[in-house]
Amino acid sequence: MKSKKNSGKSVLRRVNDWLHLWLGLASGIVVFIVSITGCIYVFEPDIKDALEPWRFVEAQDKPFVPPSQLLDTAAVYMPGVKPTGLTYSNKEGAAAVGIWVGAMERQTSPPSLSTPIPVSF
């Protein structure tokens, strides 16, 4: 006795239904991944602001800290690592000392990168 599910459907129709189901699911997963990564990319500045509070400081009526003092302070908190860059932001943004990640791998105990480096005059 024939199954009611397959009765009246040709082989071509069943193959088409099967392909439509699985290709649709596969392409849906691709569209979902592209959508999520696009959303993350669009909201990247907001996500960084929420996850990296060390990038902001209170605006003060003082001159910027000189590069030599920033580099000296970084050397104290990250001994043995040579800075590769220095970035100043606006009055509300923190200055950042950049390091090459390969230099961190050579250390036996790397310091925490999420700890802000205190600088005082």
Side-chain angles (χ1 to χ4, degrees):
M1 185 162 148
K2 280 186 159 183
S3 168
K4 284 188 174 187
K5 185 176 181 183
N6 290 335
S7 64
K9 290 186 178 181
S10 68
V11 174
L12 184 60
R13 172 71 188 252
R14 284 184 289 184
V15 169
N16 184 40
D17 289 347
W18 183 84
L19 280 173
H20 185 265
L21 171 70
W22 291 105
L23 291 176
L25 286 173
S27 64
I29 291 171
V30 170
V31 168
F32 176 76
I33 291 170
V34 168
S35 300
I36 293 297
T37 55
C39 219
I40 291 171
Y41 182 70
V42 166
F43 292 106
E44 180 183 7
D46 298 323
I47 293 170
K48 278 188 172 183
D49 292 350
L51 297 178
E52 299 174 350
W54 56 265
R55 296 185 313 130
F56 301 100
V57 294
E58 290 182 28
Q60 300 176 1
D61 230 5
K62 297 180 182 177
F64 284 121
V65 178
S68 59
Q69 187 176 355
L70 285 174
L71 295 173
D72 291 342
T73 305
V76 168
Y77 284 90
M78 304 179 85
V81 177
K82 183 178 177 187
T84 58
L86 184 61
T87 305
Y88 279 94
S89 188
N90 56 12
K91 287 272 188 191
E92 291 84 26
V97 177
I99 59 165
W100 177 53
V101 178
M104 293 288 295
E105 293 170 356
R106 288 194 292 268
Q107 285 188 339
T108 54
S109 59
S112 171
L113 295 177
S114 62
T115 306
I117 299 173
V119 177
S120 60
F121 288 97

